[in-house]
Amino acid sequence: MEEEMGVLKMRFFPSAVLILLLSCCHVLESAQPKKQNTYIVHMAKSQMPPSFTQPRLWYDSSLKSVSDSAEILYTYNTVLHGYSTRLTKKEAEALEQKQGILAVLPELRYELHTTRTPEFLGLDSNQGLVPESDSGTDVIIGVLDTGIWPESPSYDDTGLGPVPASWKGECEAGTNFTPAKNCNRKLIGARFFSKGYESSLGPIDERKESKSPRDDDGHGTHTSTTTSGAYVANASLFGYALGTARGMAARARVAAYKVCWLGGCFSSDILAGMEQAIEDGVNVLSLSLGGGITDFYRDSISIGAFGATEGGIFVSCSAGNSGPDGNTVSNLAPWITTVGAGTIDRDFPASVRLGNGKNYSGVSLYSGKQLPESGLPFIYAGNATNFTNGNLCMIGSLIPEKVAGKIVLCDRGVNSRVQKGSVVKDAGGAGMVLANTAANGEELVADAHLLPATGVGQKNGDLIKDYIFSDPKPTATIIFQGTKVGIQPSPVVAAFSSRGPNSINPEIVKPDLIAPGVNILAGWSGAVGPTGLSVDTRRVGFNIISGTSMSCPHVSGLAGLLKAAHPDWSPAVIRSALMTTAYTVDKAGQGLLDVATGKPATPFDIGSGHVNPQKALDPGLVYDISTDEYLSVLCALKYTPAQINIVSKKNFTCDATKNYSVSDLNYPSFAVPFTSGGSGMSTAKYVRTLTNVGAPGTYKVSVSSVSDSSVKIVVDPMELSFSEQNEKKMYTVSFLSSSMASGTSMYARLEWSDGKHIVGSPIAITWT
């Protein structure tokens, strides 16, 4: 809420009146409302006075001690103990000093990270993951996002039995959403959370978005149908990617929690949605959103995910779309499965044919009137503008007289790709070529443009510019070639996918793995066009979009399949199965590439590798982790007791006599940070415990060599024998190295194998 300032016109008054007037003005000024913000108040439940019979009464009392007017937005009893409210900074500081208050933390704003994939992942052949099995129908996947478009055929409940008896949730009525009509045995839960959003930005404008679970954006429908959409024949976007669409866990149930609105996703709403999902009885939580990189006790997603993990719920989150720069990955908590994005073997070619006869490949999802094959005049946007950076084709930047009837070459960056095409169209342009800059390299992301347009990589873009600048009368046309499958190499790491190292826990590799996240076909909202632009009046049942927002629900759905096949597996075991069976080479046997550089991908790009669901069903050995082990990580990070209790909600106390180390966490990957500049050899020792979830057998270890002989990796023992299921065996890995220059990174891989299973772990060694 902004402060309003009144204006007083000064006149000549007797001094006594002037004093009275000034005194009056001081009173009026002091009566102005103080600026308020939303805060999450974390309470130590163990300190609740016995005079309070219910936590809510205690919460009310604590709030009234600093403010007579403040009201509680949400109370939390599962993901945390406490509540959210609006306070001035002074009130928040006063509240934090009260007995029983662990912390009063300002609310954070989070942003969304935005069919052939079942075949690409090997789910079309029904080999083991039993997508038709009735056991899969008992799995419930909760999706926190922009809501749901219930009319999508992906929520068809044909063939599904009664709602699982474990389900405690419901569908909530709201604007344009009627539970009896919009929910069924597939879409069994739909709720919305807007109190935090509205307290910060004001009432929801129901002319623009529905105050209900209904999805007016499309993102939530896309992610939820990716996790568990039903089979839909002849699905496509304007004929592109035509085929049978389905989610990863096609027979799982869907529960949608709308926590994101036009102005973003607010932490008080996210926490309320996560709490409700846990209480409702979901088995998997999928969150394709994230915020800044911050300590776990300040990050609402980390806090909520810990509460879910305690309850046996698998939590998958997107890594973020801030690549290819390093240190950009978000959702870093070790109890979260963090997913980066890769490509699949399908593309949508649309080539640029120049007046000199040369052709340059690009991609597009444009569907409409074609450009003349003979070509049209071709102009660079930078030569058709009076704006600084007019080459980026931002709103109002193009001079209509210079672009009318021409194809315009725009550079990628700042504003959205599809908006650039809209700018060209509004200025009278006939088509657009969108050229990548160095930031995106050769990454190609297809878009459903509003005019004939194609996107090309940096190299082709530079060659096309050379032609425009050298030919006195350049011309071009765009040839749209539909859908092409079998593209190789695939997968490759998407340039936008956020990268490690881990900024909070250098001893843990993030992201954990990658999954399909480029040009993904899934369900869409009927309230918005495929581009999301207000000028796009087209309506589609399916859309093709890209982002780690798309890769996250792939892993969420696969986790649902694993949970159906192995109901007793913990979240850590499911993640371990997905990570240790991930692959790091493509079909040609070559290491996975980073499309941004054209070089081999590292564990900071792909984590353990690309998800491989068929292998994950039978991983052989797994790394399990208890919640107390996660709390030991917080001890290693030197968190205070109050900060640990914010995350855990229990009276966990670090043992002052124990030397805690993040490297002791039983994680399926190895990150080894050394300090540069020292003399002599440095040693790091990691202890791991493997649990047998397969048949009895003997596993032998192998470690690929690093690129420098000055680093030595020793595993002890080098052989582990298991005689029964659930048997556990420990081993240690020692890393010995001389000092290297700061910023140096080296990579290796550790694998245990019994001849049938390969249990793989990436190793990333860094010097800082």
Side-chain angles (χ1 to χ4, degrees):
M1 181 170 58
E2 296 182 352
E3 293 183 1
E4 296 180 359
M5 299 296 292
V7 178
L8 268 173
K9 295 182 179 179
M10 291 300 295
R11 297 180 181 177
F12 291 103
F13 290 99
S15 58
V17 177
L18 182 58
I19 292 171
L20 179 62
L21 179 59
L22 291 174
S23 176
C24 172
C25 292
H26 177 75
V27 172
L28 287 174
E29 182 181 9
S30 65
Q32 295 300 313
K34 304 289 191 204
K35 181 176 176 62
Q36 292 182 319
N37 292 298
T38 302
Y39 291 88
I40 312 295
V41 182
H42 296 264
M43 308 282 283
K45 191 175 181 181
S46 61
Q47 298 180 32
M48 184 175 74
S51 57
F52 292 101
T53 57
Q54 297 177 13
R56 175 61 189 251
L57 298 176
W58 183 38
Y59 301 163
D60 283 329
S61 176
S62 71
L63 182 57
K64 296 303 180 187
S65 70
V66 297
S67 173
D68 292 330
S69 59
E71 296 182 354
I72 289 177
L73 299 176
Y74 297 105
T75 59
Y76 309 100
N77 297 300
T78 302
V79 294
L80 62 95
H81 294 142
Y83 56 93
S84 52
T85 187
R86 299 279 289 178
L87 296 170
T88 65
K89 183 180 180 181
K90 186 175 181 180
E91 289 168 341
E93 291 172 347
L95 181 58
E96 196 162 31
Q97 302 306 312
K98 301 292 182 181
Q99 179 70 23
I101 305 293
L102 293 171
V104 180
L105 301 176
E107 177 169 65
L108 300 177
R109 178 176 166 180
Y110 294 76
E111 300 292 343
L112 298 164
H113 285 152
T114 204
T115 53
R116 177 165 172 77
T117 52
E119 290 86 347
F120 184 70
L121 293 172
L123 296 180
D124 59 327
S125 55
N126 198 16
Q127 298 173 352
L129 279 176
V130 289
E132 301 295 342
S133 169
D134 285 340
S135 64
T137 69
D138 292 333
V139 172
I140 303 164
I141 300 178
V143 181
L144 272 72
D145 213 294
T146 63
I148 207 90
W149 189 260
E151 290 80 10
S152 170
S154 295
Y155 304 122
D156 183 7
D157 65 355
T158 300
L160 292 178
V163 173
S166 62
W167 178 242
K168 302 179 184 66
E170 62 182 45
C171 289
E172 295 179 350
T175 309
N176 303 318
F177 197 93
T178 304
K181 176 183 177 182
N182 296 136
C183 289
N184 57 18
R185 292 170 298 179
K186 179 70 171 178
L187 178 57
I188 63 174
R191 299 181 185 266
F192 65 100
F193 302 85
S194 62
K195 292 178 182 178
Y197 174 87
E198 292 186 284
S199 68
S200 295
L201 300 183
I204 289 170
D205 186 347
E206 297 190 51
R207 297 169 299 175
K208 297 180 179 179
E209 57 183 333
S210 302
K211 191 174 181 180
S212 75
R214 182 168 290 278
D215 178 16
D216 300 304
D217 177 271
H219 192 276
T221 301
H222 199 280
T223 56
S224 64
T225 55
T226 299
T227 66
S228 42
Y231 288 82
V232 180
N234 300 314
S236 74
L237 172 64
F238 304 135
Y240 288 102
L242 179 64
T244 298
R246 54 155 293 189
M248 298 298 98
R251 292 179 62 78
R253 317 299 178 121
V254 180
Y257 300 85
K258 184 175 180 179
V259 297
C260 295
W261 308 83
L262 284 177
C265 322
F266 288 75
S267 56
S268 58
D269 295 327
I270 294 171
L271 283 167
M274 296 182 83
E275 169 138 327
Q276 190 63 65
I278 295 168
E279 293 177 356
D280 286 347
V282 303
N283 303 110
V284 174
L285 267 178
S286 185
L287 292 88
S288 290
L289 49 92
I293 299 170
T294 187
D295 292 309
F296 302 143
Y297 69 89
R298 294 181 179 274
D299 179 21
S300 293
I301 292 178
S302 294
I303 293 168
F306 190 91
T309 302
E310 281 187 308
I313 299 168
F314 178 92
V315 182
S316 174
C317 293
S318 47
N321 299 333
S322 299
D325 292 338
N327 294 287
T328 54
V329 61
S330 61
N331 294 316
L332 295 170
W335 47 87
I336 291 174
T337 299
T338 310
V339 189
T343 64
I344 61 174
D345 62 345
R346 180 181 64 199
D347 215 341
F348 309 101
S351 59
V352 183
R353 180 182 298 167
L354 303 179
N356 61 9
K358 293 185 178 180
N359 288 280
Y360 296 96
S361 60
V363 296
S364 180
L365 295 168
Y366 170 73
S367 175
K369 186 177 179 180
Q370 305 290 298
L371 294 171
E373 290 190 20
S374 57
L376 292 172
F378 196 16
I379 189 171
Y380 179 54
N383 296 332
T385 181
N386 293 322
F387 280 47
T388 302
N389 294 327
N391 57 306
L392 299 176
C393 295
M394 292 182 285
I395 294 175
S397 65
L398 298 179
I399 300 172
E401 293 78 11
K402 291 191 175 183
V403 303
K406 299 178 181 178
I407 296 174
V408 181
L409 188 147
C410 303
D411 285 322
R412 187 170 166 183
V414 183
N415 58 333
S416 73
R417 301 182 300 272
V418 291
Q419 188 183 71
K420 294 176 189 290
S422 179
V423 169
V424 172
K425 184 178 181 181
D426 289 345
M432 177 184 70
V433 175
L434 180 61
N436 281 3
T437 60
N440 306 103
E442 299 310 304
E443 172 190 70
L444 295 180
V445 179
D447 296 295
H449 292 285
L450 292 165
L451 83 171
T454 186
V456 299
Q458 181 190 11
K459 293 178 182 177
N460 282 349
D462 290 344
L463 293 171
I464 293 170
K465 289 174 191 175
D466 289 343
Y467 164 73
I468 292 178
F469 298 147
S470 63
D471 194 298
K473 293 184 178 180
T475 62
T477 191
I478 302 172
I479 309 298
F480 300 94
Q481 299 161 267
T483 304
K484 184 178 180 181
V485 297
I487 302 296
Q488 296 299 332
S490 65
V492 296
V493 185
F496 60 76
S497 187
S498 291
R499 317 301 171 94
N502 186 326
S503 301
I504 302 295
N505 270 5
E507 294 94 342
I508 295 177
V509 175
K510 288 285 182 175
D512 291 309
L513 72 172
I514 64 170
V518 179
N519 297 335
I520 304 302
L521 178 77
W524 196 245
S525 168
V528 65
T531 64
L533 298 177
S534 59
V535 296
D536 190 353
T537 58
R538 300 170 296 177
R539 295 295 180 264
V540 297
F542 290 84
N543 198 8
I544 297 172
I545 57 177
S546 302
T548 57
S549 278
M550 286 62 255
S551 55
C552 166
H554 279 85
V555 168
S556 305
L558 294 175
L561 287 178
L562 293 181
K563 187 67 175 179
H566 302 283
D568 58 326
W569 279 10
S570 70
V573 167
I574 292 174
R575 177 180 56 214
S576 175
L578 291 167
M579 289 176 64
T580 61
T581 59
Y583 60 86
T584 57
V585 297
D586 61 23
K587 291 181 179 178
Q590 301 298 312
L592 300 186
L593 296 177
D594 177 358
V595 72
T597 62
K599 298 178 180 179
T602 76
F604 294 138
D605 305 325
I606 62 173
S608 294
H610 191 283
V611 66
N612 186 348
Q614 294 293 344
K615 295 287 187 181
L617 181 72
D618 179 21
L621 306 176
V622 294
Y623 297 86
D624 199 3
I625 304 174
S626 70
T627 53
D628 279 355
E629 290 177 84
Y630 290 129
L631 295 179
S632 294
V633 170
L634 304 186
C635 294
L637 294 175
K638 307 300 182 184
Y639 279 20
T640 66
Q643 291 167 349
I644 293 174
N645 289 339
I646 288 172
V647 176
S648 70
K649 303 168 295 296
K650 51 166 113 165
N651 293 319
F652 182 90
T653 303
C654 302
D655 185 345
T657 65
K658 184 175 179 180
N659 183 25
Y660 291 95
S661 173
V662 176
S663 62
D664 290 335
L665 186 67
N666 199 38
Y667 217 71
S669 56
F670 296 88
V672 189
F674 285 118
T675 300
S676 61
S679 59
M681 297 293 289
S682 297
T683 303
K685 185 176 181 180
Y686 288 51
V687 179
R688 292 291 189 267
T689 300
L690 283 165
T691 302
N692 180 37
V693 293
T698 297
Y699 287 77
K700 296 181 179 180
V701 73
S702 62
V703 181
S704 64
S705 60
V706 294
S707 56
D708 193 295
S709 59
S710 62
V711 178
K712 186 177 182 181
I713 303 173
V714 179
V715 182
D716 182 37
M718 298 185 67
E719 185 175 294
L720 297 173
S721 294
F722 298 88
S723 58
E724 59 184 4
Q725 272 204 353
N726 298 317
E727 185 179 1
K728 298 179 183 293
K729 296 281 186 177
M730 294 177 62
Y731 71 95
T732 61
V733 187
S734 299
F735 301 90
L736 298 87
S737 173
S738 56
S739 181
M740 307 291 287
S742 179
T744 302
S745 297
M746 296 182 186
Y747 310 101
R749 187 170 177 83
L750 181 151
E751 293 182 347
W752 291 95
S753 178
D754 64 348
K756 175 184 177 183
H757 306 92
I758 295 178
V759 185
S761 296
I763 298 172
I765 308 171
T766 57
W767 286 263
T768 58

